[in-house]
Amino acid sequence: MRPLKDIWAELSKPLPAGLGADIGPAITQKEVYELSYILHRSEFTHLAEGRANAVFRIKEPKDPAIPMGFFRGTLLRVPKATPDVTPCDYETLQDFQEKFVDVHVGRQHIVPQILVRISPVVATSLNTKRDSALRLKGVKGDQSTIQPGYAMLVEDMGPSPDYLALEFKPKWLAQSPMAPKDATRCRTCAREALRLDKLRKKGAKISAPVCPLGLLHENRAVVMSTIDRLAPKWSERDRERLADALRDSGVLERLRDLQEEGDSGDALFTRPSDARFGLSMTLRDCSCFVRIPIDDELPVIIKLADVDKKNWQQKQSYWQNSHNDLVDDGWYKGEETPKVETACVLRLDHCLEKGLEIPPAFRARLKH
């Protein structure tokens, strides 16, 4: 069995020219069987979860035939079976990533993953670990479970002794094509304003969200202001390294271009089943993982994850209603009372153009 770190290194290389979606599977069926067998004998620790998936760390069995640390740098991602929710199956998700996302975005920009199977014994162990972890966190009433079947091994992009780590969602890197022409907020900030207003009405303390448009701004000071808020505990040197790495990788520019190409007009209402529109929506909800090595001679690693295929039949009404709410209730224009501070880059650009006061989130880097 090849070391998993070798498999991750291979899958982090660009696709060979001319192959595109015709490239073969990342690992052999024999390797899939071997990995599934090793998982059957391993131990697990609940790490995190979202609405549809749970993630675990893996400790390989004590076996002289299995190298110590075999699963180091690797996590297990499993689907949750939840009442009234029908997520895409993992075979479909893997096929979508390999034949669509890797091809259009670039395989070197995607967190690698491989499809494996978990046995009933493993599923029982995972449910036990998860139930215990949720109880400790005070979570009650969760009806989802983990069942035998397909799962994914994924490269671990978290922190380690040699790396700082950051995770964020780039969201909409360009304005919605259906936003009002006189909007003062981008799509992400409009949606965040609505969400924060609901929290405020419940008495929660709120703070301005990070506007993703700042990461692609032509003004380096705006980029750095955005990174200041994404990584407030990092040193100035590491924030500069991140800004340089984002610029040099071109991954966010590629995301923005694909978001715009697949949704150039009213696709949300006229062709929600279109594959390119589906890719746009996937890339508006993906996560960006950054690993900055302590040794600044080594390269910064930037990869995207959560690039799952969207079930447009289930999402269509939600997407359309969300759009209508943002437009009809004035969230794009900041017409709510009292005002929600969003520090949107669209507003910043307007202030810079008109010579108005710079929003607080950008004052430290921008001199009026």
Side-chain angles (χ1 to χ4, degrees):
M1 181 71 215
R2 281 183 294 164
L4 281 166
K5 64 178 183 179
D6 291 350
I7 295 175
W8 299 146
E10 180 65 27
L11 291 176
S12 296
K13 296 177 182 177
L15 286 169
L19 283 182
D22 295 327
I23 192 168
I27 61 174
T28 66
Q29 283 301 310
K30 180 175 182 293
E31 287 176 316
V32 171
Y33 175 81
E34 290 174 345
L35 282 170
S36 299
Y37 176 71
I38 297 172
L39 283 171
H40 181 77
R41 302 168 58 207
S42 297
E43 298 179 2
F44 307 94
T45 303
H46 181 267
L47 179 62
E49 62 181 80
R51 285 173 292 183
N53 308 279
V55 179
F56 295 82
R57 294 198 184 279
I58 318 165
K59 182 174 177 55
E60 70 280 348
K62 294 180 179 179
D63 186 328
I66 302 171
M68 184 177 295
F70 179 78
F71 286 113
R72 188 176 298 125
T74 298
L75 301 173
L76 178 67
R77 181 189 187 217
V78 294
K80 299 192 301 185
T82 305
D84 302 322
V85 175
T86 310
C88 287
D89 66 272
Y90 267 30
E91 279 187 293
T92 299
L93 297 185
Q94 184 71 9
D95 191 66
F96 179 72
Q97 175 164 322
E98 291 180 353
K99 296 181 179 179
F100 209 62
V101 178
D102 286 356
V103 172
H104 289 285
V105 180
R107 187 174 69 173
Q108 70 274 22
H109 298 309
I110 306 299
V111 175
Q113 62 188 33
I114 50 181
L115 201 63
V116 294
R117 294 189 72 92
I118 58 172
S119 66
V121 170
V122 170
T124 298
S125 176
L126 296 177
N127 278 311
T128 300
K129 295 292 185 180
R130 177 174 177 264
D131 290 346
S132 177
L134 294 182
R135 278 198 303 272
L136 288 174
K137 293 178 180 178
V139 177
K140 298 179 180 179
D142 186 283
Q143 296 180 300
S144 58
T145 60
I146 297 164
Q147 298 183 350
Y150 283 111
M152 289 177 184
L153 293 176
V154 299
E155 183 182 25
D156 184 1
M157 292 293 291
S160 71
D162 297 324
Y163 284 87
L164 297 175
L166 173 69
E167 176 188 355
F168 66 93
K169 281 188 171 291
K171 289 295 186 178
W172 294 55
L173 289 167
Q175 178 64 295
S176 168
M178 293 192 295
K181 299 303 180 185
D182 55 348
T184 58
R185 286 181 178 138
C186 69
R187 169 59 170 75
T188 301
C189 288
R191 178 68 183 85
E192 283 298 290
L194 170 59
R195 184 183 67 85
L196 291 172
D197 185 61
K198 291 178 179 178
L199 290 175
R200 182 174 60 184
K201 289 176 179 176
K202 294 179 180 178
K205 185 178 180 180
I206 63 174
S207 58
V210 178
C211 178
L213 302 187
L215 293 170
L216 290 172
H217 204 276
E218 60 185 12
N219 188 330
R220 173 80 172 199
V222 177
V223 175
M224 290 303 300
S225 293
T226 306
I227 291 176
D228 288 344
R229 303 183 65 216
L230 284 176
K233 296 182 180 180
W234 284 14
S235 68
E236 179 70 9
R237 170 61 181 153
D238 286 332
R239 292 181 207 172
E240 292 279 1
R241 291 169 69 195
L242 174 54
D244 292 341
L246 287 171
R247 178 198 63 211
D248 295 343
S249 75
V251 63
L252 295 185
E253 285 85 354
R254 184 63 183 146
L255 271 190
R256 178 196 59 201
D257 292 347
L258 288 168
Q259 289 177 5
E260 291 184 307
E261 288 171 14
D263 185 15
S264 57
D266 58 355
L268 172 60
F269 291 91
T270 60
R271 48 185 180 87
S273 63
D274 182 79
R276 295 304 291 266
F277 175 71
L279 179 62
S280 291
M281 297 307 287
T282 288
L283 298 180
R284 287 164 171 161
D285 197 36
C286 68
S287 298
C288 183
F289 287 86
V290 178
R291 300 189 84 209
I292 295 232
I294 303 301
D295 181 353
D296 60 11
E297 295 298 317
L298 296 175
V300 176
I301 301 169
I302 302 173
K303 294 182 181 179
L304 307 174
D306 302 328
V307 288
D308 294 344
K309 184 177 183 179
K310 297 296 183 183
N311 187 332
W312 71 268
Q313 290 98 333
Q314 286 194 344
K315 291 286 189 179
Q316 178 181 5
S317 294
Y318 169 75
W319 289 337
Q320 293 172 348
N321 291 336
S322 293
H323 167 75
N324 289 334
D325 289 344
L326 295 180
V327 173
D328 296 344
D329 296 338
W331 295 102
Y332 274 109
K333 299 181 182 181
E335 295 175 341
E336 73 281 354
T337 303
K339 199 89 162 176
V340 176
E341 176 58 48
T342 53
C344 186
V345 169
L346 287 185
R347 174 63 183 170
L348 170 67
D349 285 341
H350 174 76
C351 291
L352 291 174
E353 180 184 348
K354 300 296 184 181
L356 303 176
E357 185 178 18
I358 294 173
F362 303 98
R363 288 175 190 166
R365 297 276 184 180
L366 287 165
K367 306 299 181 185
H368 190 60

